[in-house]
C-alpha cells in the first residue's frame, strides 16, 4: 500500500474485476447454489433483478421524454425566422429538390389535379424544412454566394 | 420488426406505462423527428427526412386528436419508409379497409399501436365488455384519440365480433371487421333504407344512444342473412359521414366459419 487513494481505488477495481470474472466462468449450477445460500429463493431473486432492470430502463426512458419536452419548449420560445424568397423562386427551388423523389412528385401532381395545389405557404414551409435538415443549402447562404 | 411490436418497443423503452404518458411530440423528438404545426393547403401532413433527422409538419387547422394521430402516422413512415419525402393527403390517414396504399396501412397500424399500445390498451378495455360507441368514446377520451381511430382499434383488436362500416352520401367508404368474423359477412355498398343508419345519415335522426337489433339482411346481401339478427349503432363523425358498429351476437354466424374451415380441410 502506498497510502495513495488512487492506488487503493485501482486495487479495489481489480478485485471487483476478478470476482466478476470468477462468476462469469463458474458453472451455472455453482452460481445458482451460491445465490441460494446467500439470498434463499433464486426465482424470487431473478424476478427482483428483472424488475430492477425494467425499473432502471423505465426511469431512463422517462428522463429522455422529459428532456425531449424541455427541448421542444425551448424551440417554441425561440422560433427560427427565415427570409422569404420571391414565390416563383421558391417554387423553382422546390421543384429542384423534389425532382430527386419521383413518388413525392407524383403525389404533389395528384394533389394539384384535385384542385389542392400547393400554396405559397406550403412551398415556403417545405423549403424551410429542407433547409433546416440540410437537404438544400439555405437561401441566405445562396444569396451570399451570388 | 412488425409495426405492432416496433411501436410497443419504443414506448416501453421510453417508460410509457399510462395513456397520459403518450406525449406524441416528445416521442417523435426521441425518434429524431421534430414536429411543426402550420396551416397546410395541399395535404394533411408531410415528413421530410435527411439521415437520422426528420421534420414532420401537421396541418394546424385540424382538431387536436386528429393532429396527434397524424404525427403518429408520419412516425410510421419515418420508421418504415425512411429515405423518401412523404406527403399524406387527408384521406390517406386513419382509415380502415384494404383499398388504400400499403405504405399508408403500415403507417396507420404503427400509429394505432403507438397511441393505443396493447399492453396499456387491453387491460383498460377489459373493463368495458360491451362494444358500443359509449365504450369507444370513453376509451377515446382516455387515450386522446378520435372516435374513428379508437373504434377501428377495438374492432380489429378482437374486442368482440363486429364490423365497423363508414358511409357517406355516395355509399360505403370503407369497412373493417374483427378477425373472428368470417369474410363472407361483407357489408352492402349502399345503406339499406330499413337500417337505423340510413335515418342518421339522410334524415335528421340523432346518433343511436344504444345498439339496436335489426335483421342481418339490412347489412349483408346474402340469402342466409335473413335468418339472423345483428346489433346496429350509428355515430355521426362529420357532416356527411357516419360510422356504424354492426355487432354479431348470433354464434351461428360465426360457427359456420369453423364448419367451412374443417370441411375444406384447412
Amino acid at each position: 500500500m502506498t497510502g495513495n487513494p488512487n492506488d487503493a481505488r485501482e486495487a479495489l477495481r481489480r478485485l471487483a474485476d476478478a470476482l466478476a470474472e470468477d462468476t462469469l466462468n463458474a458453472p451455472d449450477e455453482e452460481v445458482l447454489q451460491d445465490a441460494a445460500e446467500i439470498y434463499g429463493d433464486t426465482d424470487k431473486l431473478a424476478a427482483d433483478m428483472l424488475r430492477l432492470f425494467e425499473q432502471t430502463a423505465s426511469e431512463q426512458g422517462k428522463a429522455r421524454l422529459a428532456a425531449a419536452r424541455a427541448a421542444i419548449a425551448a424551440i417554441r420560445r425561440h422560433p427560427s425566422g427565415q427570409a422569404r424568397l420571391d414565390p416563383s423562386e421558391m417554387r423553382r427551388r422546390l421543384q429542384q429538390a423534389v425532382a430527386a423523389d419521383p413518388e413525392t412528385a407524383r403525389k404533389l401532381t395528384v394533389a394539384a389535379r384535385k384542385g389542392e395545389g400547393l400554396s405559397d405557404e406550403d412551398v415556403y414551409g417545405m423549403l424551410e424544412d429542407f433547409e433546416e435538415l440540410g437537404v438544400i443549402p439555405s437561401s441566405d447562404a445562396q444569396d451570399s454566394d451570388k | 420488426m412488425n409495426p405492432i411490436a416496433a411501436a410497443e418497443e419504443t414506448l416501453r423503452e421510453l417508460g410509457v406505462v399510462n395513456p397520459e404518458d403518450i406525449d406524441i411530440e416528445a416521442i417523435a423528438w426521441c425518434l429524431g423527428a421534430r414536429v411543426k404545426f402550420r396551416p397546410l393547403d395541399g395535404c394533411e401532413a408531410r415528413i421530410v427526412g435527411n439521415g437520422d433527422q426528420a421534420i414532420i409538419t401537421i396541418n394546424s387547422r385540424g382538431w387536436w386528436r386528429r393532429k396527434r394521430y397524424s404525427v403518429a402516422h408520419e412516425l410510421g413512415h419515418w420508421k418504415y419508409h425512411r429515405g423518401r419525402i412523404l406527403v399524406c393527403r387527408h384521406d390517406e390517414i386513419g382509415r380502415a379497409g384494404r383499398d388504400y396504399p400499403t405504405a399508408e396501412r403500415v403507417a396507420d397500424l404503427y400509429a394505432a399501436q403507438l397511441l393505443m399500445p396493447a399492453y396499456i390498451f387491453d387491460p383498460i378495455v377489459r373493463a368495458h365488455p360491451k362494444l358500443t360507441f359509449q365504450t369507444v368514446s370513453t376509451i377515446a377520451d382516455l387515450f386522446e384519440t378520435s372516435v374513428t381511430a379508437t373504434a377501428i382499434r377495438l374492432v380489429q383488436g378482437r374486442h368482440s365480433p363486429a364490423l365497423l362500416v363508414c358511409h357517406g352520401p355516395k355509399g360505403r367508404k370503407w369497412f373493417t371487421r374483427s378477425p373472428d368474423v368470417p369474410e363472407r359477412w361483407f357489408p352492402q355498398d349502399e345503406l339499406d333504407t330499413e337500417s337505423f343508419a340510413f335515418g342518421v345519415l339522410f334524415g335528421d335522426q340523432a346518433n343511436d344512444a344504444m345498439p339496436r337489433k335489426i335483421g342481418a339482411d339490412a347489412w349483408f346481401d346474402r340469402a342466409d342473412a335473413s335468418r339472423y339478427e345483428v346489433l346496429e349503432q350509428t355515430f355521426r363523425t362529420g357532416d356527411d359521414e357516419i360510422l356504424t358498429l354492426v355487432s354479431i351476437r348470433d354464434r351461428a354466424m360465426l360457427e359456420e366459419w369453423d364448419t367451412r374451415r374443417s370441411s375444406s380441410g384447412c
Side-chain angles (χ1 to χ4, degrees), chain A residues 17 43 51 63 69 83 85 90 97-98 103 112-113 125 129 140 143:
Chain A
D17 282 352
D43 286 343
R51 218 170 5 254
R69 284 189 199 101
L85 296 169
M90 287 198 304
V98 170
E103 173 66 10
R113 224 184 282 144
D129 293 351
D140 294 344
D143 289 346

Side-chain angles (χ1 to χ4, degrees), chain A residues 75-143:
Chain A
I75 283 182
R76 294 251 159 86
R77 282 195 296 272
H78 304 287
S80 64
Q82 294 195 339
R84 291 215 179 203
L85 296 169
D86 168 72
S88 58
E89 174 62 11
M90 287 198 304
R91 285 178 190 278
R92 190 192 62 76
R93 293 195 76 205
L94 181 66
Q95 273 180 346
Q96 273 184 345
V98 170
D101 192 311
E103 173 66 10
T104 295
R106 187 187 63 79
K107 278 193 162 188
L108 290 176
T109 308
V110 169
R113 224 184 282 144
K114 290 172 76 180
E116 301 167 352
L118 292 177
S119 64
D120 287 348
E121 198 60 36
D122 286 348
V123 174
Y124 171 71
M126 286 186 91
L127 279 179
E128 186 183 83
D129 293 351
F130 289 162
E131 288 180 8
E132 282 182 30
L133 289 167
V135 176
I136 57 173
S138 78
S139 49
D140 294 344
Q142 282 205 332
D143 289 346

Side-chain angles (χ1 to χ4, degrees), chain B residues 82-102:
Chain B
R82 200 171 286 208
R84 292 194 227 161
I85 306 161
L86 285 151
V87 180
C88 297
R89 297 191 302 268
H90 181 85
D91 60 359
E92 290 175 328
I93 299 174
R95 50 167 295 179
R98 294 178 181 172
D99 57 340
Y100 72 125
T102 306

